[in-house]
Amino acid sequence: MPVDVQAEPRSRNLQDVLDGLGGVAPSRILADPPPGTATERDAIRVNERKAALCELVDGVLVEKGMGYAQSVLAVFLARLLDEYAEARGLGAVSGADGYLRLLPGLLRAPAVAFTRWERLPEGTPPNLAPVPDVAPDLVVEVLSDSNTEREMARKREEYFKAGVLVVWEVDPRRRTVAIHRSGAAPRTLASGDVLDTGDVLPGFQVAVDRLFGKLDGPGNRPR
């Protein structure tokens, strides 16, 4: 009687890993622990040591592509969103060092995220676990040169699958903001446009020129 011998699954090589992550550069992949074996504990450990700011994807620690300009824009948006939400008692704003578990084994660290109180377990951040199971209402990703289109497409798919309502992709080089909603065509805003959150934070607005003016000298910043 013939024996049914099943072929062993082919091991992923580094190129397979990079392709699955959206074509990210090898320099953004942490080698310790080996790609494919990383856990949430590893991600938290690396983040706490400030060795790197990484996300956990498919068992791989992927370093976030950030820089000074990206940080300036993220802090500015986080401040505006937090002030608006705080004044109206709407929810919490987190930054890139606040891991969110979108799916089991998938930790993302958006540059800025807004989450309504009713989406947070018990309603208050101090009572949350170090990595909460939370899908924010709004996610802001500030792009760097190391981000690829396929990487960002994968992120959007994950965000929407987890329940995120709106994703902003802020591009410092082009000075544009792409607004993505699940199932809708993206809108790209540029100079002269006004950025808003729709029904996520009703009434919130910031001029695109004011946002990117944070990268200019004091005499060139729009008021």
Side-chain angles (χ1 to χ4, degrees), residues 89-92 115-128 134:
L90 298 176
T115 309
R116 287 175 295 171
W117 290 125
E118 52 264 37
R119 284 198 174 202
L120 293 170
E122 299 184 24
T124 53
N127 294 328
L128 297 178
V134 171

Side-chain angles (χ1 to χ4, degrees), residues 112 119 156 160 206-207:
V112 184
R119 284 198 174 202
R156 291 193 301 271
F160 292 138
V206 59

Side-chain angles (χ1 to χ4, degrees), residues 110-170:
V112 184
F114 166 73
T115 309
R116 287 175 295 171
W117 290 125
E118 52 264 37
R119 284 198 174 202
L120 293 170
E122 299 184 24
T124 53
N127 294 328
L128 297 178
V131 183
D133 291 299
V134 171
D137 297 84
L138 169 69
V139 158
V140 181
E141 291 280 359
V142 184
L143 305 182
S144 71
D145 290 343
S146 67
N147 292 127
T148 69
E149 290 185 9
R150 287 195 293 125
E151 176 191 12
M152 300 313 297
R154 171 172 176 159
K155 282 193 175 189
R156 291 193 301 271
E157 182 179 353
E158 292 168 349
Y159 284 138
F160 292 138
K161 183 176 181 180
V164 173
L165 302 178
V166 183
V167 176
W168 289 351
E169 290 181 1
V170 179

Side-chain angles (χ1 to χ4, degrees), residues 24-64:
V24 303
S27 59
R28 290 178 55 197
I29 305 300
L30 267 63
D32 181 21
T37 68
T39 65
E40 290 187 6
R41 181 174 298 179
D42 294 319
I44 295 170
R45 172 179 53 82
V46 169
N47 193 29
E48 287 179 342
R49 292 180 179 178
K50 307 302 181 185
L53 179 58
C54 297
E55 296 178 314
L56 176 65
V57 189
D58 295 341
V60 182
L61 293 181
V62 185
E63 190 168 2
K64 288 274 290 184

